[in-house]
Amino acid sequence: MNNQTKFFGTDGIRGKVGGNQINPEFVIKLGWAVGRVLTEKYGKSRVLVGKDTRISGYMLESALEAGLSAAGVDISLLGPMPTPAISYLTTTFRAQAGIVISASHNLFHDNGIKFFTSAGRKLSHEVELAIEKELDEPLLTVESDELGKASRIIDAAGRYVEFCKSTVPTKFSLKKMKIVLDCANGATYHVAPDVFNELGAELIVMSNEPDGFNINENCGATSPALLAKRVMEEKADFGLALDGDGDRVILVDEQGKLLDGDDILYIIAKYYKKNGNLFGGVVGTVMSNLGLEQKFNEMDVEFSRAGVGDKLVIEELEKRKWSLGGEPSGHIVNLNFNETGDGIISALKVLEAMVAEQQSLSIIKKGFNKYPHIIRNVEVDNPREIIGSKKLQAHISELNKQLQDSGRLLVRASGTESLIRVMVEGENPTLIEQVATSLVSIIQDLSK
């Protein structure tokens, strides 16, 4: 029996708009298949549907609505909302599932469909397989009196803003903070400013005018250079860049220096440990910097690496009964508050530590030094085939011998794009540059 999913990647189903999956025909069938799985498990079901700000979201939202209705499932439309908000609202509305139409940090020509269970978690592998099994069946519409109804939730944004504010102490205030916020022209454009304004910050907002095409374009967590420049120009205390769907964040300190997910994990874990709120250890991924692992060892904090993707981070947290984990990309999972990565809440937790310790971001981050680190993305048509080649594996083995105990390398296929990601880190910057260049060269040769 084949246990591999055909359409689902590391974070739902994603691709180019108009491609094999991200098109109206497939998405109608996908909505129907999800509806079939839900009704088989729960009977009459309700699904929350939200999206980011891509122009294709209108088309895909309508297609999903049609498919779900044909399966007899009621639909509650949220409009543009961050991914973590949909996770949260799915649980508070007691819905049987939540669906997010988003390609996260990708540009507008991509889109995707992500799913949450009634508990606000990503789908299990077994449920993904069940949905794909239904996709192979003919689409049969339920009787007219059983069709699903669609409605719109008007106060969704306000509910999520209040939830974010509830994650910090009641008397917590940002009145003495000047903050620059980059919304990536994405799903947080209308909620993130309200959170920080209502907590009292002097706020400067960037990239909060989505037009359907400018999501993640030279802005947000994947392009924080303009944010860093603005922080310096405004003499701000703190900068944060969210990505297109709001589940990840990159920070900028008052000196204009970038802080990624490893830095954020270190700051939160250190603050929690000092206050007795670190339950167990911290989960990173195979991409987490070796320096973070060493620093946690010094702090007597257990550290475990999961595969790439917040779903795998959460699985490792559950297995160990821990609450804090994340990825260098800025995707931080804090199970004390939400069931998935949340960029706004992650930033608030760092700000909470800064206010409590009365320290700037550059000072509170001190003590953690990363190993020199290189990431290269190589575009190829057949990533998994190349990674499985004996020639590449032999080359990797030889390069590992060169690095010995002073560094490490990782070569993996992207779960969302046709890329092979190469990561090399170590004590010697010249050596890791040579290793990365060598790996990219052989991958390019194998792809010809």
Side-chain angles (χ1 to χ4, degrees):
M1 179 181 174
N2 186 7
N3 200 36
Q4 295 295 314
T5 52
K6 182 179 177 182
F7 302 114
F8 283 87
T10 54
D11 197 10
I13 297 171
R14 190 180 300 185
K16 194 168 289 295
V17 175
N20 292 335
Q21 283 83 53
I22 309 303
N23 62 70
E25 183 179 10
F26 180 85
V27 173
I28 287 174
K29 188 73 178 288
L30 177 64
W32 176 82
V34 170
R36 291 272 294 178
V37 171
L38 288 175
T39 52
E40 185 175 326
K41 182 174 182 180
Y42 298 108
K44 186 64 176 177
S45 297
R46 180 190 189 191
V47 172
L48 268 58
V49 177
K51 59 184 179 180
D52 64 23
T53 55
R54 296 159 210 273
I55 190 168
S56 57
Y58 297 97
M59 173 182 74
L60 300 177
E61 180 183 60
S62 297
L64 267 177
E65 183 182 339
L68 288 163
S69 176
V73 172
D74 290 337
I75 307 106
S76 295
L77 300 170
L78 301 173
M81 285 295 290
T83 288
I86 295 162
S87 167
Y88 165 71
L89 292 168
T90 298
T91 61
T92 61
F93 277 99
R94 307 300 192 268
Q96 280 64 56
I99 301 179
V100 187
I101 303 166
S102 175
S104 191
H105 56 279
N106 292 24
L107 295 176
F108 82 94
H109 46 64
D110 291 336
N111 215 329
I113 316 289
K114 301 193 275 192
F115 301 90
F116 289 108
T117 68
S118 58
R121 295 280 177 90
K122 298 288 177 69
L123 298 185
S124 68
H125 183 64
E126 290 70 28
V127 173
E128 290 176 347
L129 287 172
I131 292 169
E132 292 197 354
K133 184 179 178 183
E134 291 292 343
L135 282 168
D136 290 333
E137 300 297 322
L139 192 158
L140 300 175
T141 304
V142 298
E143 295 297 326
S144 294
D145 60 350
E146 296 176 6
L147 288 169
K149 297 178 181 179
S151 59
R152 188 166 292 279
I153 297 175
I154 304 301
D155 62 344
R159 285 173 179 251
Y160 178 61
V161 168
E162 288 305 311
F163 165 64
C164 289
K165 289 162 55 185
S166 76
T167 65
V168 291
T170 306
K171 295 183 179 180
F172 174 78
S173 173
L174 293 172
K175 281 187 178 175
K176 296 181 180 179
M177 285 274 188
K178 188 174 187 180
I179 293 174
V180 183
L181 166 65
D182 181 341
C183 296
N185 290 314
T188 63
Y189 79 98
H190 62 315
V191 292
D194 285 351
V195 172
F196 294 98
N197 271 321
E198 291 178 23
L199 288 170
E202 179 185 347
L203 192 65
I204 297 128
V205 186
M206 301 171 57
S207 307
N208 66 326
E209 297 181 355
D211 60 10
F213 305 99
N214 59 2
I215 186 170
N216 298 314
E217 185 178 17
N218 300 317
C219 60
T222 53
S223 301
L226 290 178
L227 171 66
K229 182 181 177 185
R230 189 73 180 273
V231 167
M232 296 299 290
E233 289 173 350
E234 300 284 350
K235 295 182 172 57
D237 302 297
F238 188 92
L240 68 148
L242 300 160
D243 71 335
D245 72 331
D247 61 2
R248 62 169 73 177
V249 66
I250 295 294
L251 305 181
V252 176
D253 71 16
E254 75 283 2
Q255 299 172 356
K257 293 180 180 176
L258 298 176
L259 280 71
D260 67 8
D262 285 350
D263 298 301
I264 295 168
L265 276 180
Y266 165 69
I267 292 167
I268 297 174
K270 183 173 71 167
Y271 178 61
Y272 278 4
K273 184 173 173 63
K274 180 178 179 180
N275 292 282
N277 295 323
L278 184 62
F279 305 114
V282 177
V283 172
T285 73
V286 291
M287 298 296 289
S288 300
N289 195 277
L290 194 55
L292 183 66
E293 183 174 359
Q294 292 182 346
K295 187 61 187 178
F296 281 147
N297 285 338
E298 291 174 19
M299 293 167 58
D300 196 27
V301 171
E302 285 189 75
F303 182 73
S304 177
R305 292 182 185 270
V308 173
D310 66 311
K311 183 194 289 191
L312 298 178
V313 170
I314 291 170
E315 285 178 3
E316 186 69 11
L317 286 172
E318 288 190 315
K319 174 181 153 187
R320 294 178 174 271
K321 295 183 170 54
W322 297 350
S323 60
L324 181 65
E327 305 181 82
S329 63
H331 204 139
I332 307 299
V333 177
N334 194 332
L335 295 181
N336 296 314
F337 302 105
N338 208 347
E339 302 298 325
T340 191
D342 193 312
I344 294 174
I345 292 176
S346 299
L348 287 176
K349 291 292 106 183
V350 173
L351 286 162
E352 182 185 329
M354 290 169 60
V355 170
E357 301 292 329
Q358 296 184 316
Q359 291 180 339
S360 67
L361 185 53
S362 65
I363 295 299
I364 207 165
K365 182 258 176 185
K366 270 190 173 179
F368 164 44
N369 298 307
K370 296 174 188 167
Y371 273 49
H373 185 92
I374 293 174
I375 294 179
R376 300 273 168 81
N377 294 322
V378 189
E379 193 168 343
V380 296
D381 292 330
N382 50 347
R384 297 188 188 282
E385 183 181 323
I386 291 174
I387 285 178
S389 76
K390 291 181 179 178
K391 186 175 180 181
L392 179 60
Q393 291 303 318
H395 196 66
I396 289 172
S397 179
E398 185 59 36
L399 291 173
N400 271 318
K401 290 177 184 175
Q402 291 182 36
L403 288 170
Q404 296 180 336
D405 296 329
S406 64
R408 66 189 189 99
L409 67 85
L410 179 71
V411 180
R412 68 178 186 89
S414 168
T416 56
E417 300 171 81
S418 292
L419 298 172
I420 290 179
R421 303 195 191 277
V422 171
M423 186 278 292
V424 189
E425 63 185 14
E427 296 173 357
N428 186 330
T430 303
L431 177 59
I432 67 168
E433 177 66 40
Q434 290 171 352
V435 169
T437 301
S438 178
L439 279 168
V440 169
S441 178
I442 192 169
I443 290 168
Q444 289 173 336
D445 288 343
L446 289 168
S447 69
K448 291 175 182 176

